[in-house]
Each structure stands twice: as structure tokens, then as C-alpha cells.
Amino acid sequence: MVAELEVGRITKPHGLRGEVLVRFTTDKIAERTSPGSRLRTAAGTELTVRAARPHHDRWIVSFTGSESRDDADALRGQLLFAEPLEDPEELFVHEVIGKRLRSSDGTDHGEIVAVVANPASDLMELADGRLVPLAFYRDHDEHSVTVDVPAGLLDDDGS
């Protein structure tokens, strides 16, 4: 089974008809809010989106079976998870972790152990602590991520 990804959090109920406010942490909001989309709480409760609409910096979402304020209140504060989306044109964080980082000349620079959020460009962290901006990403396959980096960025001695 594929590990599910955290995609958002229910912040609080909205109104009296079972709707909730959701703050999404994914850039695939359209896919996660379309009617019929399935999300899961950390407790394992499966939720099916009935309808959703934007509201300021969050979304008002109604789930099948959530009909009252009490139903919505029971969901307050719940993290939301979903299965990863398949898109061969995109590189997702969960696909990067554990792969080898290679420069365009084929040099292996080690395993990618984390992706660190950074305003300019997220950074791939290598097992030895070196950081490589995702902005230099060129390609990936089943085992590795290839990057085109400026000379010296991946030198072990820092020169």
C-alpha cells in the first residue's frame, strides 16, 4: 500500500449544515476538492467530498454523511490525508526521498533524505547534510534525481 500524504487540516465547522473549513497544504486543490474525492483522517475515517468552494484562504467543504453542526464539530482539527496523485510530468516530494542525487555528468552524490522548505526554492537535503535547490532539477527515474548545478555546488571539499 502506498503511504498517504497529508493534504490539509479541518479547522472548524462552518454554519449549521455539516460544512467545515479546510486549510489545504497541497497545490493539487482542484483534485482534492472535486466531488467524490476521498480523504482520510488520522484516525482512519474516510471522508468523501460532496461539494467544496473557496472561502478567503481556506475552503468550505461538505462531506457525505456530515449533515449537522455536531457532525462537523466532530471533525474539528483533523488532519486530512490522501493517496499520492500520479502525474509523470511532476516531481512530488514523496518521490524524491530515498532516491540518489546525480549530477548531469552521472556523478552520484548520495541519498536524498529530506526536502526542506525554502522561499526561493525548496532544498533537497543529502545524507551528508549538503543542500541542493530543487530549482536545479532536470529529470528523475525510479532510482535517482538528476540535477544541473553550477560548478562547485556539489564539491565535497566546498571549493
Side-chain angles (χ1 to χ4, degrees), residues 28 40 44 49 69 91 96 105 122 134:
K28 300 292 185 184
R40 189 176 320 280
V49 174
R69 175 80 177 199
L91 180 66
V96 172
D105 66 2
D122 288 346
L134 265 169

Side-chain angles (χ1 to χ4, degrees), residues 35-122:
S37 295
R38 290 194 172 104
L39 305 174
R40 189 176 320 280
T41 67
T45 304
E46 187 170 293
L47 302 170
T48 303
V49 174
R50 182 172 49 215
R53 63 189 185 278
H55 180 72
H56 303 291
D57 63 338
R58 294 175 283 186
W59 284 74
I60 298 172
V61 181
S62 63
F63 294 109
T64 302
S66 182
E67 306 296 332
S68 70
R69 175 80 177 199
D70 289 340
D71 293 340
D73 201 41
L75 297 172
R76 179 190 298 265
Q78 293 287 319
L79 289 174
L80 296 174
F81 298 86
E83 290 187 10
L85 299 171
E86 296 298 322
D87 186 346
E89 300 299 314
E90 298 257 357
L91 180 66
F92 294 101
V93 170
H94 70 276
E95 294 176 327
V96 172
I97 309 300
K99 289 190 178 185
R100 307 295 295 181
L101 185 89
R102 299 190 192 288
S103 51
S104 55
D105 66 2
T107 304
D108 184 323
H109 295 281
E111 182 181 357
I112 302 168
V113 297
V115 174
V116 180
N118 183 46
S121 174
D122 288 346

